[in-house]
Amino acid sequence: MKALLLSIWRYRHFIVSSIKAEFRGRFARSKLGALWMILNPLAQATIFALVLSEVMGARLPNVDNKAAYAIYLMAGTAAWGLFSEIMNRCTTVFIDYANTLKKIAFPRLCLPLIVGGSALLNHLLLLVAIAVVFLFFGHYPNAAWLVLPLGIAMIVMFAFGLGILLGLMNVFSRDIGQVLAIVLQLWFWFTPIVYTADTLPKQYSHVLALNPMAPIVKIYQGAMLYGKLPDWHSLITPFLLAAGLFLFSFWIFRRASADLVDAL
């Protein structure tokens, strides 16, 4: 593990420059550039506020704001967006960069770090954009937002751990990437993002207890809408799972990396 971390440190400039290149490439030939990070959620939130909030807003407890549902939904989708982007990109990163792996010698773990760093940068800009959108609703950031880095850290660990494992499996069996798309769709709808946990039928309540993303998403929703800190007890299991997967993925990656290029 120490040798792996040292090799990553030696290639830190390569990782940072690659993340910058990915970010610039995302807005290449776009006149508005990164402004789209604000315009897209603003347009989305307007639709939610005008259409969905009027219908669903009354179902959110202890909130009088008419834009409550839009805020709740944007908070949840922000958390899920970071998770799904890291998962999807880590699952295909070794296949997408197969030619680079064969031609250039560098620590293979740099690739998931690059795509993960790019996803994290996009997420941070999105949070800034969401904060701007909330100002139009008269909803201002509060001290509870300071807990968001905890949610980000848990999502990154969980998504990295699971994504790297699936990425390695996807090299040897390309069906993994196809199955993941279906699983993520089901997982999204079994996570309280579009609905609240209270509205879920009781016979499905056990699903939330088994869903590690539910309490993590709730960190965002509680802080950004209600201005509340999370239930720390509910985060123990997701944190241990995320940290365990994160460390286990590094161990598996170190053992499988020798055969990675040959399988590609």
Side-chain angles (χ1 to χ4, degrees), residues 5-236:
L5 294 177
L6 286 175
S7 65
I8 293 174
W9 175 253
R10 285 196 294 268
Y11 281 83
R12 63 189 183 279
H13 299 297
F14 168 70
I15 295 173
V16 172
S17 62
S18 298
I19 292 173
K20 292 179 179 178
E22 281 216 0
F23 182 75
R24 288 193 296 266
R26 181 176 182 180
F27 301 108
R29 299 183 181 181
S30 173
K31 294 183 178 179
L32 295 180
L35 187 59
W36 286 112
M37 294 295 297
I38 297 176
L39 294 179
N40 282 330
L42 178 60
Q44 187 181 53
T46 302
I47 295 172
F48 292 153
L50 294 178
V51 180
L52 297 178
S53 295
E54 295 297 328
V55 177
M56 300 290 291
R59 300 186 185 182
L60 297 180
N62 304 320
V63 181
D64 297 328
N65 191 342
K66 290 184 178 180
Y69 180 70
I71 296 169
Y72 177 87
L73 187 56
M74 290 185 69
T77 52
W80 183 265
L82 176 61
F83 174 71
S84 61
E85 183 176 358
I86 293 177
M87 281 284 294
N88 283 318
R89 298 204 62 190
C90 282
T91 302
T92 61
V93 65
F94 301 117
I95 297 173
D96 294 340
Y97 287 88
N99 291 332
T100 303
L101 286 170
K102 294 176 182 178
K103 296 177 181 178
I104 304 174
F106 63 93
R108 297 172 179 85
L109 193 59
C110 289
L111 291 179
L113 291 179
I114 290 170
V115 298
S118 177
L120 184 58
L121 178 60
N122 293 337
H123 182 69
L124 294 176
L125 291 175
L126 177 61
L127 290 181
V128 173
I130 287 176
V132 173
V133 171
F134 285 0
L135 296 179
F136 289 93
F137 295 150
H139 187 77
Y140 302 98
N142 53 72
W145 282 50
L146 296 175
V147 80
L148 291 181
L150 173 63
I152 293 172
M154 292 181 65
I155 291 172
V156 169
M157 285 194 302
F158 189 35
F160 256 114
L162 199 53
I164 290 175
L165 291 175
L166 293 177
L168 292 172
M169 294 171 61
N170 197 38
V171 171
F172 300 95
S173 176
R174 304 301 169 87
D175 294 330
I176 298 297
Q178 303 299 325
V179 173
L180 178 64
I182 300 173
V183 171
L184 282 178
Q185 289 186 42
L186 292 173
W187 200 342
F188 173 84
W189 288 106
F190 278 104
T191 304
I193 296 174
V194 178
Y195 56 89
T196 63
D198 296 334
T199 60
L200 195 68
K202 292 184 179 180
Q203 60 267 32
Y204 297 111
S205 59
H206 65 281
V207 176
L208 293 184
L210 298 175
N211 183 357
M213 280 301 295
I216 298 177
V217 168
K218 195 173 181 180
I219 295 175
Y220 278 68
Q221 294 165 336
M224 300 177 79
L225 175 60
Y226 300 106
K228 295 180 179 179
L229 297 177
D231 176 11
W232 302 110
H233 179 75
S234 67
L235 297 178
I236 295 176

